[in-house]
Every structure is written in structure tokens, then in C-alpha cells.
Amino acid sequence: MATTEQTSSTSTNMIAFQGEPGAYSHLACRTVFPDREALPCATFEAAFAAVEEKRAEYAMIPIENSVAGRVADIHQLMPHKNLHIVGEHFQRVNHHLLVLPGTKMEDLDLVRSHEQALGQCREHISKWGLKAETYTDTAGAAKLLAQIKDPGMAAIASSLAGEIYGLESLKQGIEDADHNTTRFLILSRENKVAPLDLPCVTTFIFQTRNVPASLYKALGGFATNGINITKLESYQLEGTFNATQFYADIEGHPEDPSVKLAMEELDFFTNEVRILGTYPQADYRIEQQKKYS
């Protein structure tokens, strides 16, 4: 059995993710933290727990995709966890059609993958005349193919999954949209607030009062103070249609005078405001801003 000291030392080099080895979350871990060991977890809850229980220092969690939209469950989980957002990463999703070595396209009749990956490759799958079946995740489909060795089956997954499970990439870049990108959040037990002099994103949740125009009034301060809201999503609380919680991203730091004024106005019109993290903007975000400004 490992000692407490050994466990602590090991956990500081771990980053948790949801999925099988070779998942796109695993690829994101390798990209951002090439010197850290990635810890695969069966569920998002398990990935959060790995950090909370000090078995990993960080978690790499997908929050949204440029094609498929938001990742289900994450917005519901985050308010109930004692973790903080300390970074963001945008991972380009490059899908591969993985097969057993030596397989040709004419041998295939079935492709398995996560439902989002199948949807993102719908045009190619239709063109090839393959039957699509959903699986728990992309890397899991690749692992299954390696186990059952079905020459008529393919899996849509990452190049990393192909490398791990000994599969051949018959086709690559098969996503229908060339902008297919997933945004990940990096979570930590420590609240590592970014310096005020860096371009930042601040993520927070809030609940509006159940009165007419409450959201309009709550967000008015961001408009009058010139603060850009880059993300705003709502979901119902505890199964009721009368209580709504909002999840928001803004560009700026809470200590910036303009942001401070906007947050004060938000607080006046809401029942609760909780900042989940203030972290540096990813290079990808900054480049996109320059491109479309």
C-alpha cells in the first residue's frame, strides 16, 4: 500500500478525464500537460471526484463543441462541486475512421462511435453506405473493435485511440465541419485566480428573482460597462419551472473597475452569484477575436 506521502506526490502529477484511454479528452490532457499522467474515469462525476479526493491535481472537462453544442450534465454538476476553473483549452477534433490493420473500405458495413462523433461525420457515413451504431464514447468504440476483431466494423475516434489499440486509420479528417472544435475547462481544488494584467475569462452562475424582466435588469450592467458576455445558458433548478439558474462567461477580471460595477448590479437583481473561476484566455480565443473583430 502506498504511503500518504507517495500518494500525494503521485496525485500532483495526475490529470483526470472522462472516457477510455485515447478519448479526445485524453488527447487534450496530452496537449496541455504533456508531462503529466492522464487518469481515465468512467464518468464525469468520477473525474470531478478524483480531484476532490486528491487522486489528481486537475480535471480536463469538455464544456461545449462548435458543432454539437454544450456537453450535457456539466452545467448541472459544476455548481455542486468544490472545484475551481483555472484554465481553458480548445481542442481541434480530427476524426479518424479506425479499422483492423489490412481492412479495406469495401470490407466495412458498420461503424461505431459516440453519438456526437457519428453526427459530426454524418455526410461521410452516408456516402460510404455504412450502418451507424452509437457507443459510450469514441475511444471505447476503438477498444471494442480491437477486442472483438470484427473486420466488417470501423470506429470513429482519435489518432491517439488508433495508436493505443493497434488500429489503422483508413480515413482521417472525416468530420463534416472543418471548424469542429471542443472547448475544455481545467478544474482544480485551488482557486488560482489569473493576474489582473492578463486577458481573462470569468465564469459564474447566478439565479434571478422570479419577477418580470429580472434577467434584463441583472445583465444591464454588463452592457453599460462595456463587458462582453461570451456565454449565457439557463437550466431549471430541482425540477421546477419557476426557478432558473444561469451559467455565464464574460471577458474580464472581477477586480477590473468596469467588471466590478457590472457584478455589483448583477448582485442587486439576483438571489445568488457564485464565481467558478477567473482564468487566462486561451490563445485560440484570442486568435478568433482578432480574426472576426
Side-chain angles (χ1 to χ4, degrees):
M1 181 179 292
T3 66
T4 302
E5 183 178 352
Q6 286 173 326
T7 302
S8 174
S9 175
T10 302
S11 69
T12 59
N13 196 43
M14 302 287 283
I15 177 164
F17 69 94
Q18 185 277 327
E20 295 278 359
Y24 285 100
S25 294
H26 187 186
L27 192 59
C29 291
R30 278 197 171 188
T31 302
V32 181
F33 298 103
D35 297 328
R36 291 183 181 271
E37 185 178 350
L39 175 65
C41 300
T43 64
F44 288 121
E45 290 94 333
F48 278 85
V51 181
E52 290 179 321
E53 297 166 4
K54 299 183 179 181
R55 289 181 285 113
E57 186 174 2
Y58 299 117
M60 181 73 72
I61 302 295
I63 188 79
E64 59 193 327
N65 177 268
S66 61
V67 176
R70 77 178 182 182
V71 177
D73 299 334
I74 301 304
H75 299 77
Q76 299 283 1
L77 281 171
M78 289 188 64
H80 303 290
K81 304 298 179 181
N82 296 316
L83 300 181
H84 306 275
I85 305 171
V86 296
E88 66 174 352
H89 169 66
F90 292 82
Q91 182 72 43
R92 177 72 171 84
V93 177
N94 187 254
H95 287 309
H96 289 246
L97 188 71
L98 301 178
V99 297
L100 296 173
T103 302
K104 297 182 173 58
M105 183 62 74
E106 55 266 27
D107 300 329
L108 300 174
D109 53 32
L110 172 69
V111 59
R112 286 193 176 103
S113 194
H114 187 273
E115 61 181 351
Q116 286 197 356
L118 293 174
Q120 292 164 10
C121 304
R122 186 177 292 109
E123 291 180 12
H124 284 85
I125 293 171
S126 176
K127 179 179 67 176
W128 297 327
L130 300 180
K131 178 184 177 183
E133 286 189 3
T134 60
Y135 201 70
T136 50
D137 60 69
T138 56
K143 182 179 180 181
L144 176 67
L145 175 57
Q147 289 173 337
I148 65 174
K149 301 188 184 304
D150 181 355
M153 173 189 162
I156 292 176
S158 68
S159 58
L160 178 59
E163 174 188 326
I164 290 173
Y165 300 112
L167 301 175
E168 184 178 298
S169 177
L170 194 58
K171 302 279 186 181
Q172 62 178 317
I174 62 172
E175 59 276 7
D176 297 332
D178 59 9
H179 59 75
N180 194 348
T181 302
T182 297
R183 180 186 177 219
F184 289 85
L185 297 179
I186 303 166
L187 305 180
S188 171
R189 290 184 302 278
E190 296 181 39
N191 188 17
K192 302 176 182 179
V193 179
L196 180 58
D197 59 348
L198 286 181
C200 293
V201 176
T202 295
T203 297
F204 56 92
I205 54 176
F206 64 95
Q207 299 173 26
T208 56
R209 296 170 185 170
N210 193 22
V211 295
S214 60
L215 180 60
Y216 173 81
K217 293 174 183 176
L219 297 181
F222 294 95
T224 56
N225 286 284
I227 305 302
N228 188 25
I229 301 175
T230 60
K231 184 180 183 64
L232 180 65
E233 294 196 355
S234 65
Y235 49 98
Q236 306 308 123
L237 288 175
E238 299 174 355
T240 176
F241 289 96
N242 294 320
T244 304
Q245 184 155 277
F246 292 87
Y247 176 104
D249 289 341
I250 61 169
E251 292 177 352
H253 196 288
E255 295 304 313
D256 181 272
S258 296
V259 175
K260 191 174 289 188
L261 288 172
M263 295 299 286
E264 288 174 357
E265 192 163 338
L266 173 70
D267 190 56
F268 183 79
F269 290 106
T270 57
N271 293 325
E272 178 186 357
V273 179
R274 178 184 163 198
I275 293 179
L276 300 179
T278 298
Y279 45 98
Q281 293 184 21
D283 291 341
Y284 179 90
R285 180 189 293 273
I286 295 172
E287 290 167 4
Q288 291 295 299
Q289 289 170 342
K290 291 178 180 178
K291 182 177 179 180
Y292 293 105
S293 62

